[in-house]
């Protein structure tokens, strides 16, 4: 079949020139309606100033001077994907001992590189849940200003945590007197830290409710913040209109975070029936990173991951997948979150097939990374669907993801805000 290839230099001036077209039309073999779960044949999408103005079928555009028609005649259109849990500053191939020596500017450059790589993989929106020195906030702002290329980012500043907890840095000796910048003990200190995050540009808040796999000296399932502290964090963030994510592996921490009113719980490794009932009652979203364990247990040792952390990963991996299956079966709200940084950025879509393997339909998996993530971020009126009035975030793949979700691992075309990047 004849296919028109749009070749665009990645120079920012050339990228900006795409928006000079009066109307951009995109036609394709098919399009996924993620709301209805239907495959729409022969779509024609009209785009002006980065926004979708019409979605038609079985028609050809009437081109005026300056209009552009992108024909993807053997591809299927899908809304731009959304990953609700990444860490753009971290590289899994660099040992954690070496990362201690990296400056914040160096980490910001890493984040810019990985942001671009993730966009090319089809993820047009991300939530970055914690980074040192407000580095990813700088990257987000650079993307928004057109200085660099990357997805739309909701960025937390430094993750909040207790002294000696998962979000502290416990790898240095006491004489160094080092405390991670997100550490806050007590309700009022925690409120102040939320305010500080917002002061320096955070548009999401993340805190550590329990221990974690990759920290030193923490037990994965043990609760760290008290109920009062969690309540204070969530209340302060919600007063300012920000969503809140709670890192929580252990059962008591999961429940306490839900009761506190968090918008999403991350990881959710050890869940019980009461936690599931609470999540459904409160409408809490679960974000469960069930792919990255494979990478850690295969490559962790050669990447310099400590034996303590590998042992914790072995304890968590099977339980988390069992919890995922239970949550899906029970009908808990689910979003797509990978914890990219534990495995290489750009491989985010590899999680889709595991979500299907452990209980989701392909449509449910795709919805988790589109309409569900948009609802979590409270932007469901502008992102997550290919629909009139929505922002033109569109990707294309060869094949039908409703039949084979793994086709999302090989994205052929990426558009964000009406601009073609791939």
């Amino acid at each position: 079949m004849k296919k028109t290839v749009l070749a665009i230099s990645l120079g920012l001036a050339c990228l900006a020139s795409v928006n000079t077209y009066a109307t951009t039309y995109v036609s394709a073999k098919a399009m996924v309606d993620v709301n209805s779960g239907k495959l729409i044949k022969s779509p024609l999408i009209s785009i002006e100033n980065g926004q979708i103005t019409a979605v038609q079928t079985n028609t050809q555009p009437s081109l005026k001077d300056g209009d552009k028609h992108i024909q993807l005649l053997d591809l299927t259109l899908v809304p731009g994907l959304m990953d609700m849990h990444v860490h753009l500053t971290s590289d899994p191939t660099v040992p954690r001992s070496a990362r201690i020596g990296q400056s914040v500017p160096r980490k910001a450059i890493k984040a810019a590189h990985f942001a671009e790589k993730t966009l090319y993989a089809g993820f047009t929106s991300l939530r970055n849940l914690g980074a040192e020195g407000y580095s990813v906030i700088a990257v987000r702002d650079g993307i928004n200003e057109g200085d660099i290329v990357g997805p739309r980012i909701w960025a937390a500043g430094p993750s909040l945590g207790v002294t000696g907890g998962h979000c502290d840095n416990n790898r240095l000796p006491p004489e160094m007197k080092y405390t991670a910048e997100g550490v806050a003990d007590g309700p009022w200190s925690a409120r102040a830290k939320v305010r500080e995050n917002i002061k320096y540009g955070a548009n999401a808040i993340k805190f550590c409710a329990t221990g974690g796999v990759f920290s030193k000296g923490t037990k994965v399932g043990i609760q760290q913040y008290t109920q009062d502290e969690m309540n204070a964090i969530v209340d302060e963030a919600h007063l300012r209109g920000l969503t809140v994510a709670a890192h929580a592996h252990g059962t008591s921490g999961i429940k306490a975070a839900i009761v506190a009113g968090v918008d999403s719980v991350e990881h959710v490794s050890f869940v019980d029936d009461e936690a599931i009932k609470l999540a459904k009652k409160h409408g809490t979203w679960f974000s469960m990173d069930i792919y990255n364990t494979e990478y850690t247990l295969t490559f962790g040792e050669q990447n310099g991951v400590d034996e303590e952390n590998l042992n914790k990963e072995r304890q968590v991996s099977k339980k988390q997948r069992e919890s995922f299956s239970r949550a899906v079966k029970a009908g808990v709200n689910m979003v797509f979150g990978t914890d990219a940084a534990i495995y290489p950025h750009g491989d985010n879509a590899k999680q889709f097939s595991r979500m299907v393997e452990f209980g989701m339909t392909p449509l449910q998996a795709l919805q988790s990374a589109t309409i569900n993530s948009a609802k979590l971020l409270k932007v469901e009126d502008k992102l997550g669907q290919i629909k009139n009035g929505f922002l033109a975030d569109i990707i294309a793949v060869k094949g039908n993801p409703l039949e084979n979700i793994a086709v999302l691992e090989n994205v052929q075309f990426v558009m964000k805000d009406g601009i073609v990047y791939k």
Side-chain angles (χ1 to χ4, degrees):
M1 298 180 76
K2 184 179 177 182
K3 178 179 176 183
T4 301
V5 179
L6 182 65
I8 296 179
S9 164
L10 289 181
L12 289 173
C14 293
L15 285 173
S17 72
V18 178
N19 263 343
T20 63
Y21 302 130
T23 303
T24 297
Y25 296 95
V26 180
S27 58
K29 179 180 181 181
M31 178 191 87
V32 176
D33 182 333
V34 293
N35 194 43
S36 68
K38 294 180 180 178
L39 190 70
I40 310 299
K41 294 184 178 179
S42 302
L44 178 69
I45 317 301
S46 305
I47 300 161
E48 296 177 12
N49 296 318
Q51 188 175 49
I52 297 169
T53 55
V55 179
Q56 301 170 282
T57 58
N58 298 304
T59 188
Q60 290 295 316
S62 179
L63 298 176
K64 307 183 299 295
D65 287 345
D67 289 350
K68 191 72 179 180
H69 185 197
I70 303 169
Q71 300 180 70
L72 306 170
L73 301 183
D74 60 346
L75 301 180
T76 300
L77 304 181
V78 179
L81 302 173
M82 307 171 78
D83 191 334
M84 294 295 96
H85 191 137
V86 304
H87 296 279
L88 291 173
T89 53
S90 295
D91 183 344
T93 65
V94 177
R96 288 174 182 267
S97 57
R99 293 184 212 172
I100 292 174
Q102 290 181 343
S103 67
V104 169
R106 180 70 182 97
K107 289 177 180 179
I109 291 171
K110 281 271 191 184
H113 168 68
F114 290 137
E116 182 180 54
K117 189 173 182 180
T118 307
L119 176 65
Y120 293 159
F123 287 81
T124 56
S125 295
L126 301 177
R127 191 171 58 154
N128 196 89
L129 292 183
E132 303 87 345
Y134 302 93
S135 49
V136 174
I137 290 170
V139 170
R140 177 202 66 196
D141 293 348
I143 292 168
N144 292 345
E145 291 292 326
D147 302 329
I148 53 177
V149 169
R152 189 177 292 100
I153 296 176
W154 278 258
S159 299
L160 277 67
V162 302
T163 297
H166 179 65
C167 288
D168 198 358
N169 185 336
N170 305 326
R171 298 179 183 276
L172 297 171
E175 57 267 25
M176 297 293 292
K177 300 186 184 303
Y178 181 83
T179 298
E181 59 191 322
V183 168
D185 298 311
W188 281 107
S189 178
R191 279 185 183 273
K193 189 60 67 173
V194 172
R195 293 169 182 175
E196 184 178 288
N197 269 252
I198 296 170
K199 174 181 179 179
Y200 294 116
N203 57 348
I205 296 294
K206 186 263 189 85
F207 71 87
C208 290
T210 76
V213 171
F214 285 91
S215 51
K216 181 180 179 181
T218 70
K219 295 180 180 179
V220 176
I222 299 300
Q223 183 175 333
Q224 294 183 348
Y225 266 128
T226 66
Q227 188 69 65
D228 286 345
E229 289 169 317
M230 293 189 208
N231 292 347
I233 292 168
V234 175
D235 182 59
E236 190 65 41
H238 284 175
L239 278 174
R240 306 290 291 277
L242 276 67
T243 58
V244 186
H247 159 108
H249 285 282
T251 311
S252 65
I254 294 167
K255 294 175 187 177
I258 294 171
V259 169
V262 296
D263 299 279
S264 68
V265 183
E266 313 300 307
H267 312 301
V268 204
S269 297
F270 302 105
V271 76
D272 63 9
D273 290 341
E274 183 184 8
I276 285 174
K277 288 178 182 177
L278 281 170
K280 293 185 71 175
K281 176 183 176 181
H282 289 264
T284 311
W285 297 92
F286 281 2
S287 170
M288 302 178 71
D289 49 327
I290 60 169
Y291 167 70
N292 61 33
T293 184
E294 297 171 35
Y295 182 87
T296 298
L297 295 181
T298 302
F299 299 103
E301 185 175 0
Q302 74 182 53
N303 287 343
V305 177
D306 293 340
E307 187 60 30
E308 173 193 355
N309 307 118
L310 292 174
N311 279 333
K312 287 195 281 187
E313 183 62 56
R314 296 182 191 108
Q315 296 167 25
V316 165
S317 57
K318 183 180 178 182
K319 287 291 186 182
Q320 187 190 36
R321 288 177 166 187
E322 290 172 354
S323 293
F324 177 85
S325 298
R326 290 178 66 188
V328 170
K329 187 175 181 180
V332 174
N333 291 336
M334 304 286 282
V335 293
F336 187 91
T338 64
D339 210 2
I342 303 302
Y343 68 94
H345 296 280
D347 284 351
N348 310 57
K350 289 184 177 180
Q351 180 165 289
F352 283 113
S353 63
R354 276 59 174 188
M355 296 171 88
V356 172
E357 179 182 353
F358 291 99
M360 282 188 168
T361 65
L363 176 61
Q364 286 176 317
L366 183 53
Q367 287 175 334
S368 76
T370 52
I371 57 176
N372 288 5
S373 290
K375 287 176 183 176
L376 166 62
L377 295 172
K378 306 185 191 312
V379 290
E380 65 269 28
D381 60 339
K382 62 182 69 175
L383 289 174
Q385 298 183 60
I386 301 174
K387 185 177 179 180
N388 188 16
F390 279 52
L391 296 178
D393 282 18
I394 301 170
I395 65 170
V397 294
K398 196 171 182 64
N400 180 1
L402 298 177
E403 294 178 350
N404 177 14
I405 197 71
V407 300
L408 294 173
E409 296 176 20
N410 187 18
V411 171
Q412 307 289 311
F413 170 89
V414 177
M415 171 184 280
K416 183 193 123 190
D417 282 332
I419 298 175
V420 176
Y421 291 89
K422 180 177 181 179

